[in-house]
Amino acid sequence: RLRTVTGVQTCALPILAVVGAAPAPPSPLASLAVRNGQGALVRPLDGGGNQPRLFLFLLHDCPAANGYAPEINRIVEAYPGVRTCVVYVEPDLTPAAARAHARDYRMTCGILLDPEQRLARAAGVTISPEAAVFSPRGELLYRGRIDDRMAEPGKRRPEPTRRDLRLALDAVLAGKPVSEPRTRAIGCYLPELPSSPPDRKPQPTSP
C-alpha cells in the first residue's frame, strides 16, 4: 500500500528514510531529487517498490489543468496500485501554495515541486496538464494527454472519446506494452526558465 500522511498519498519517500522492501534494480534516474509538498527532498524514481509511477505535471493557474482536477481525482481513486503525484513546475511556487492548490481541488495524491523542471525534462513534458508513467525501474512507458477532451487549443469536447492515460495504466498493470506510448497534450506551455548553470545537464528520459 502507499504511505499516507493525513489521508494524502505520498509518491516518494524521504531520501534518508529506511525502506523495508528489497530495492529494485537501480534506475538511471534514481538520483533525481525534488521536493515534496512538505519541502522534504525525495527521489521519486529511486526504484523502491514494485508499483508504476504516475506523474501529472501542472501549473496551478492553468485553466486546462484545473479543469482536469476531477478526472485526476477519479484516476487516483481508480488506480490504487499506482504511485501517483501531481508535479508543480512553476519556479516560484512555494510548498504552502502547492498544498493550498491541491486542497482547493481536493487532490488526495502526493505533491511534488519541480521548480527547475528536472523531472519534467526527464519525462520530456512541456505542457500543463501532461502525464508521464514510469515503470518501477524508471522506464518511461507513457507520456502525453490524460484524454482527448481537449480537441485543440481553446476547444473542449463535452466528453472524451479516448481516455489515453487510463488505457496506458491498464496496459502497464496488466504487464502489456502501451499501444500508444506518446500522445499530444494540449494546454498551457511550461514556463521557460532562466539560463541554466554551466554544470547543469538535462536528465535522460528512459533507457
Side-chain angles (χ1 to χ4, degrees):
R1 294 177 58 84
L2 298 179
R3 290 185 56 184
T4 60
V5 178
T6 63
V8 177
Q9 294 180 357
T10 58
C11 59
L13 297 175
I15 284 179
L16 298 180
V18 176
V19 180
S27 161
L29 301 175
S31 62
L32 191 155
V34 295
R35 301 279 176 183
N36 65 14
Q38 301 300 321
L41 201 61
V42 297
R43 292 178 178 148
L45 291 169
D46 65 357
N50 59 1
Q51 294 171 316
R53 274 74 162 168
L54 166 59
F55 302 109
L56 293 147
F57 293 83
L58 307 179
L59 299 171
H60 83 286
D61 57 355
C62 172
N66 290 335
Y68 268 104
E71 175 62 5
I72 289 173
N73 293 334
R74 288 190 289 266
I75 288 173
V76 171
E77 183 177 0
Y79 294 90
V82 177
R83 289 189 186 183
T84 302
C85 264
V86 294
V87 185
Y88 293 96
V89 293
E90 291 103 322
D92 56 353
L93 191 71
T94 65
R99 293 196 305 270
H101 178 268
R103 183 172 59 250
D104 289 345
Y105 286 90
R106 301 181 180 180
M107 294 180 181
T108 58
C109 59
I111 296 172
L112 297 176
L113 284 83
D114 188 24
E116 296 181 339
Q117 298 180 13
R118 293 178 178 178
L119 186 56
R121 288 200 311 273
V125 165
T126 60
I127 296 293
S128 163
E130 191 165 2
V133 179
F134 285 85
S135 75
R137 296 181 299 278
E139 302 162 315
L140 182 61
L141 304 177
Y142 175 77
R143 181 184 70 237
R145 64 193 182 190
I146 296 171
D147 57 36
D148 68 352
R149 188 185 304 267
M150 297 291 291
E152 58 183 88
K155 292 189 177 181
R156 186 180 177 95
R157 295 186 176 98
E159 292 293 332
T161 62
R162 181 178 171 86
R163 300 182 185 272
D164 303 87
L165 178 55
R166 287 176 178 260
L167 292 171
L169 292 174
D170 290 342
V172 169
L173 292 173
K176 299 177 180 179
V178 178
S179 60
E180 292 191 31
R182 304 290 185 270
T183 59
R184 176 175 173 250
I186 296 175
C188 308
Y189 284 103
L190 302 193
E192 292 187 6
L193 299 178
S195 298
S196 302
D199 61 345
R200 188 169 136 202
K201 299 178 181 179
Q203 299 287 337
T205 54
S206 61

